[in-house]
Structures are given as C-alpha cells and as structure tokens.
Amino acid sequence: MQRFATGTDAALELRPDHPLYCFRPEVLKQDARQFMALFPGDTAYAVKTNGEPMVLKTLVEAGVKIFDVASPGEFEAVRAASKTAEMLYMHPVKAQSDIRLALEKYGIRVMSLDHEDEIAKVLRIVRALDLDPGSISIFVRLQTKGHAMYELSKKFGAAPGHAVELVQRLDRIGFKVGLCFHVGSQVEEAESYELALKSADWVRNRAGVALVGLDVGGGFPAVYGHNPNRKVKPMPPLEDLMGELRSNITEWAFDDMPLVAEPGRVVVARAFSLIVRVLLRKGKRLYINDGIWASLSDSWTGKITLPARFIPDPARRIRKGKAENVVPFKVCGATCDSVDILSRPFWLPETVDTGDWIEIGHIGAYSLSLRTRFNGFYPDDFVEVTTPFGGEGAPDGFASLETMAD
Ligand SMILES: *Cc1c(COP(=O)(O)O)cnc(C)c1O
C-alpha cells in the first residue's frame, strides 16, 4: 500500500478519480489501546463495523485478542487475521448450519440468544457433535431502552421476565450462562448503560443462577465533527463516559464477574478518511464519485456530522466566491439512482468546483463495510496515511448535517 503523510498529499500526488480510502494504522492502534485501557474487562472488537483484513490484522498487532462475530464470513475473516483469536458469536438469531460451523470448525464456545427456540437449535448441534454443554457459554440478550443515536434494541432482546426463564432453562441443561445487551450505537451518555445494568441486575436476582459473565455490548461514541454555527452540547470525552460506566458497574455489583465489551465505532471511526472527487458542480449541487450505495450509506452517516477537508485542485486557476465562506451543498452520489442523494448537505468553502477533492474524516465505521456493487461502482482503493485527520489543522467544513432547509 502506498504511504503518504496526509490525505492532502495523497490527493495531490495521485489525483484520484475514484474514491480513495486513507487508512491510519497508528490511529487505529491508539484508539483500540485506549479503549482496552479504559474498559474494566475484555474487549471484543465488533467485526461488522469494519472487517477489512488490514483492520483486523492491525487490531491483532495492537493486542486485541477477542472479536465479536455474526456470520461465517466474519468467522473466516478473523481466523485469517489470527489463528488464536477468540470469537464471540453474539448474533441472537442464527442459522442452524452456521451454529454447527461455529462450534465444529471454528471452535467458538460463546454465543448469545434471546428465545427458547434458539436454545433448541444450539442444543441439537451440541448433541450431534457430542459436546459438553458445560464447555459452552451462552449469553442471554436483554432488551434495553435508551437514547442511542441509533436504537438497535428494537430488534433483539428478551424482556426481563422472559430472560429469567431462558437463564434458568440454559442452566438446567448445563450450559454456562451470562447476560448481554447492546444499547445501540453512538451512545453519548452513560444512562443507557445504567438502565441496562439495572435490568441485568433484576434478571440475575430473579434467576438465582450463578452467572459466568456480563457483556455490555458496543455503542461507545466516536469523535465526529460539529457544526461551528450551532450550539450543540459537546460530547463528553470517552474517559468520562467510561468512568460513569465503571462506577455503575460497581454500584450494581457486576464488578466481581468477568466483563466484556464489544466496541466497534469507537475503535475504528478515526482510522479512515475518504477522499472523494467532485465530478461536477451544478449550482449548489455537487456530484461526487461516492454515495449512499458505497461509503456514504445514509442510514449510518445521515445522523452524524463528519469533519471534511477541502482539497482544491491546483490545476483550476479561476474560482468564484471566497474560500472563507462555508456554505451548504446538496450532494449527489455516483450512481444513476435518484435515491442516491445525501439527505444532508456538505458544508464547504463556496469556491469548491468540478475536479476538486473532499476528504471526509473519521469515516472508518459503517462506511466501507456497507459498500455495494450497485451500478458497477465499488470503491476499493486504499493508501496508508501517517498523520491523523485532525493533524493537518481544523477541518474546513463538515458533511452530513441538518437538512438544507434548516
Ligand atoms: C453492531 C454491534 C456492536 C458494535 O456497535 P458499535 O456501536 O459500533 O460499538 C456490538 N455488539 C453488537 C451485538 C452489535 O450488533
């Protein structure tokens, strides 16, 4: 992989016409190590956030030994990055053939579920393979309520009373039993975790079964950009959120059992930026070479504010407007689909024009992992960059913010 000091250097030297991902392995290592230092338990990286081989390999180098996986593709990706890494199969609803693969081929011994029919599925495979249920830990996924930016608990999780029954049933069969939850993504306050801990405590007390662990899921917030024109409450630093989580864990007396977290976004967001090119400027519209079917899948990026850097093409000699005026542009994606228009504008210097580049920072999470081949576009070019995105100075603009009408 070619190496550059900054994204700007990469853009000016390569003049990329296709989207270019700038990977920052040192930033990835730093953020992974910071999380591991702050969380009072094991860290299992959530592979779905960004499962690129370069990411998994770098995390292994940083000392990550456990990975949260959900599918055969993820089992294989982790195994390719490390022969010894442990995998937690934390998808509550699994195909029976995948359960077999996990247990038989990959030696996975930790899973989650939220329904008795799933217990039956797992048990069928355990019996068929003649495994001892006591060698397998099953985490009952609890329903949670909170204020995550991306609420994910609607889909999975057993209500507390139901969870008690599941815990007792698993214990009677002879499985080791734990509890888990996942409060959402980009959770910027500790209260969501506290509510979930409270619920886990309730289930533990009613179930009367010795638990082997608690998995607090992911959701830890990444640092993104902000609109300087708006007064928004700045996100508290991760240290503060983790401090609160640690004291809540003690308060609810979970500090005496093995803990695990499944961070995704907070570990990988800063490790990538994306350089896109303006293929055409038409008034206040920018047609770029990426979009919702590639790295800017709106369901994930639409609610967050990504920092952006304007990289003007030096070949353009004449420009309209003033570089210090930062204005909103409607952004149209690369495909022919009219849905492929970002729901929120990019705010950029008004001088931006056809042929210029925009480097979008902190885009390592849920971006390239959601790429599709729709319409024949599939960005897949990478360079390594040594300077953190913010290391070049304050961003010139920001992407994906409030609607144009605001
Ligand atoms: C997606 C997911 C994660 C990672 O979430 P982040 O918000 O990226 O930290 C962790 N655990 C489970 C079960 C998930 O589905």
Side-chain angles (χ1 to χ4, degrees):
M1 209 187 305
Q2 269 185 285
R3 229 166 166 219
F4 296 91
T6 65
T8 305
D9 290 351
L12 296 180
E13 189 169 329
L14 301 175
R15 301 181 58 81
D17 232 3
H18 297 138
L20 183 67
Y21 298 110
C22 301
F23 176 44
R24 294 169 170 81
E26 290 311 314
V27 172
L28 179 59
K29 285 184 190 174
Q30 190 187 329
D31 285 357
R33 287 183 179 136
Q34 186 200 20
F35 188 90
M36 290 191 282
L38 289 174
F39 183 72
D42 284 334
T43 295
Y45 172 71
V47 174
K48 81 164 184 292
T49 317
N50 185 330
E52 287 298 308
M54 71 186 86
V55 168
L56 301 181
K57 189 178 139 276
T58 304
L59 288 173
V60 170
E61 285 165 16
V64 175
K65 295 186 169 63
I66 314 175
F67 293 84
D68 163 25
V69 291
S71 64
E74 293 186 353
F75 307 160
E76 192 49 45
V78 171
R79 201 40 87 230
S82 162
K83 293 222 172 343
T84 54
E86 187 188 348
M87 289 186 246
L88 316 182
Y89 189 7
M90 303 306 276
H91 195 314
V93 181
K94 301 171 279 300
Q96 186 141 317
S97 53
D98 293 349
I99 298 172
R100 177 182 267 272
L101 194 72
L103 289 169
E104 190 173 30
K105 180 171 174 199
Y106 291 94
I108 292 173
R109 290 294 179 268
V110 181
M111 297 185 183
S112 77
L113 51 77
D114 64 2
H115 195 271
E116 46 282 1
D117 290 357
E118 195 75 11
I119 301 182
K121 266 195 250 171
V122 175
L123 191 56
R124 218 172 289 143
I125 307 294
V126 166
R127 298 265 193 260
L129 297 175
D130 192 25
L131 297 173
D132 172 9
S135 67
I136 298 166
S137 299
I138 300 196
F139 285 71
V140 174
R141 170 92 169 244
L142 306 177
Q143 219 173 50
T144 56
K145 289 193 186 65
H147 326 283
M149 192 171 287
Y150 302 99
E151 185 62 52
L152 298 177
S153 54
K154 281 188 214 108
K155 187 163 174 183
F156 298 124
H162 186 199
V164 170
E165 284 172 36
L166 295 171
V167 167
Q168 292 174 337
R169 185 187 294 225
L170 288 162
D171 179 63
R172 277 198 305 275
I173 296 168
F175 288 114
K176 289 192 279 205
V177 194
L179 295 176
C180 66
F181 51 76
H182 178 56
V183 292
S185 204
Q186 192 66 12
V187 180
E188 297 187 0
E189 28 62 53
E191 199 198 344
S192 298
Y193 292 98
E194 190 183 6
L195 290 173
L197 288 169
K198 193 171 154 186
S199 170
D201 178 59
W202 190 93
V203 171
R204 169 174 61 180
N205 294 337
R206 294 296 182 293
V209 165
L211 300 176
V212 296
L214 176 74
D215 181 333
V216 303
F220 304 91
V223 173
Y224 288 117
H226 70 283
N227 179 348
N229 307 319
R230 286 215 151 185
K231 276 213 188 76
V232 278
K233 220 171 47 183
M235 192 183 91
L238 186 63
E239 286 87 344
D240 292 6
L241 183 102
M242 281 296 211
E244 276 192 66
L245 176 61
R246 278 199 305 267
S247 58
N248 290 330
I249 284 171
T250 310
E251 192 183 328
W252 292 100
F254 283 105
D255 50 341
D256 61 346
M257 70 169 68
L259 298 171
V260 55
E262 303 162 350
R265 186 187 290 281
V266 71
V267 170
V268 79
R270 285 200 322 134
F272 286 83
S273 63
L274 170 70
I275 297 175
V276 298
R277 193 163 202 186
V278 178
L279 301 178
L280 186 72
R281 174 175 172 175
K282 202 190 265 185
K284 279 297 184 70
R285 279 186 183 203
L286 301 179
Y287 292 79
I288 63 168
N289 56 4
D290 201 307
I292 67 163
W293 299 106
S295 329
L296 298 167
S297 170
D298 222 28
S299 60
W300 289 103
T301 55
K303 291 183 198 167
I304 55 181
T305 304
L306 296 161
R309 189 179 307 289
F310 174 42
I311 307 174
D313 181 355
R316 174 177 285 277
R317 296 282 139 69
I318 299 162
R319 290 185 180 273
K320 288 191 282 288
K322 292 197 188 86
E324 49 294 5
N325 292 345
V326 174
V327 297
F329 288 93
K330 199 174 189 75
V331 177
C332 301
T335 69
C336 303
D337 176 8
S338 58
V339 169
D340 192 6
I341 298 175
L342 301 193
S343 61
R344 288 143 198 256
F346 280 21
W347 289 69
L348 292 163
E350 67 181 356
T351 49
V352 64
D353 216 325
T354 302
D356 291 335
W357 294 277
I358 303 162
E359 184 184 9
I360 305 169
H362 299 200
I363 199 170
Y366 307 109
S367 51
L368 40 156
S369 58
L370 291 165
R371 278 172 294 174
T372 75
R373 292 186 187 275
F374 180 49
N375 220 175
F377 295 104
Y378 186 78
D380 202 30
D381 296 334
F382 293 84
V383 292
E384 199 179 305
V385 166
T386 50
T387 312
F389 182 79
E392 266 189 88
D396 312 288
F398 34 93
S400 300
L401 202 70
E402 64 271 18
T403 55
M404 294 290 271
D406 283 348

